[in-house]
Amino acid sequence: MSTESRLRIVWLYPDLLSTYGDRGNLLILAHRANQRGLPVTATEVRSDQPVPVEADIYLLGGGEDGPQALAAQRLIADGGLHKAVDRRAVVFAVCAGYQLMGAAFYAKGQRCAGLELLDLSSDRGPTRAVGELAGEVDAELGLPTLTGFENHGGRTHLGPEVRPLAKVSVGVGNDGRTEGAWSGTVLGTYSHGPALSRNPALADLLLRWATGQDTLAPLDDTWSNRLRAERLSALKGTP
């Protein structure tokens, strides 16, 4: 985006993919941009609407099996998100939305085709992963410890063309060892919370990717840091 234009954020398919407060990711990004004087246009695109291809950031949230499968079918048929990624738009996907980014996932016992925007695939795990999730983020991203809440039955297997978002210290994430994945400007995670309220530095990373700015003006993150400290402190001694 140019310095004179508005930051365009699209929340995709809130009628299908919106659990555990994931709409909060949209609110956090818009707030942190506005606080820095970056005007924002935030749009919610339902599953019966075409996906705009000229936005800067696309958000996908969590959802149950049926809506997840339907979302995948409609996004593949629409093709707009693929065109946006081709022009280096930012995508931030959570839980079911994260699984959609890969080649395949399972819903209601059936293997479903994904969008193939990240080199990964997901299947069913032996147990459901529910609870706090934390991990040390890939050093290349320059972010502090990831904190969030996970609730999913899947296990995600990464291919050679993606990097793990984090190495798991608490919780399951992808497979008990790694959590999330990223490549280029597409990033996925199992972290709810919502993720960007717990991880404001991650929100700023997405904003930097979208705006092309190497640095952003600092904000007062006193309350965000208190939340992070509280949740991370509660994990001490957790196996």
Side-chain angles (χ1 to χ4, degrees):
M1 61 171 286
S2 71
T3 57
E4 299 172 350
S5 63
R6 300 180 71 86
L7 182 71
R8 297 156 296 181
I9 305 174
V10 172
W11 183 28
L12 287 175
Y13 294 4
D15 54 326
L16 298 178
L17 302 174
S18 176
T19 58
Y20 301 110
D22 289 330
R23 185 175 185 273
N25 292 323
L26 173 65
L27 302 178
I28 292 295
L29 284 172
H31 174 75
R32 296 184 73 81
N34 283 322
Q35 288 292 102
R36 294 178 167 104
L38 297 172
V40 172
T41 297
T43 305
E44 298 182 7
V45 174
R46 297 175 65 84
S47 60
D48 60 351
Q49 297 175 309
V51 175
V53 300
E54 297 301 326
D56 301 297
I57 302 177
Y58 295 81
L59 305 174
L60 296 94
E64 297 180 354
D65 282 10
Q68 179 188 21
L70 180 57
Q73 293 169 8
R74 294 191 175 181
L75 286 169
I76 291 170
D78 180 276
L81 188 58
H82 289 83
K83 293 176 182 176
V85 171
D86 285 345
R87 40 170 287 273
R88 300 286 293 180
V90 176
V91 178
F92 180 63
V94 177
C95 200
Y98 166 44
Q99 292 183 354
L100 294 182
M101 295 295 102
F105 62 95
Y106 276 76
K108 293 187 177 295
Q110 300 293 318
R111 187 178 188 271
C112 302
L115 277 68
E116 299 189 64
L117 292 174
L118 288 175
D119 181 19
L120 55 85
S121 63
S122 301
D123 55 24
R124 288 299 188 189
T127 60
R128 190 165 187 85
V130 182
E132 290 294 306
L133 176 64
E136 298 310 308
V137 177
D138 185 344
E140 186 169 323
L141 296 177
L143 302 177
T145 300
L146 180 76
T147 171
F149 175 85
E150 63 180 343
N151 187 345
H152 60 95
R155 298 296 184 271
T156 296
H157 312 284
L158 307 186
E161 301 302 317
V162 293
R163 297 177 63 138
L165 173 60
K167 179 180 179 181
V168 169
S169 56
V170 174
V172 176
N174 294 329
D175 55 8
R177 299 185 300 275
T178 67
E179 147 56 15
W182 70 283
S183 177
T185 55
V186 179
L187 189 152
T189 178
Y190 276 113
S191 177
H192 299 282
L196 300 185
S197 67
R198 289 204 188 194
N199 302 277
L202 176 55
D204 286 352
L205 173 69
L206 301 178
L207 291 174
R208 286 192 283 111
W209 281 353
T211 61
Q213 299 182 32
D214 293 332
T215 60
L216 297 173
L219 299 179
D220 181 359
D221 281 328
T222 300
W223 289 104
S224 296
N225 289 335
R226 286 185 182 180
L227 171 62
R228 285 179 54 77
E230 173 192 286
R231 300 318 305 152
L232 292 171
S233 177
L235 298 178
K236 291 181 179 179
T238 302

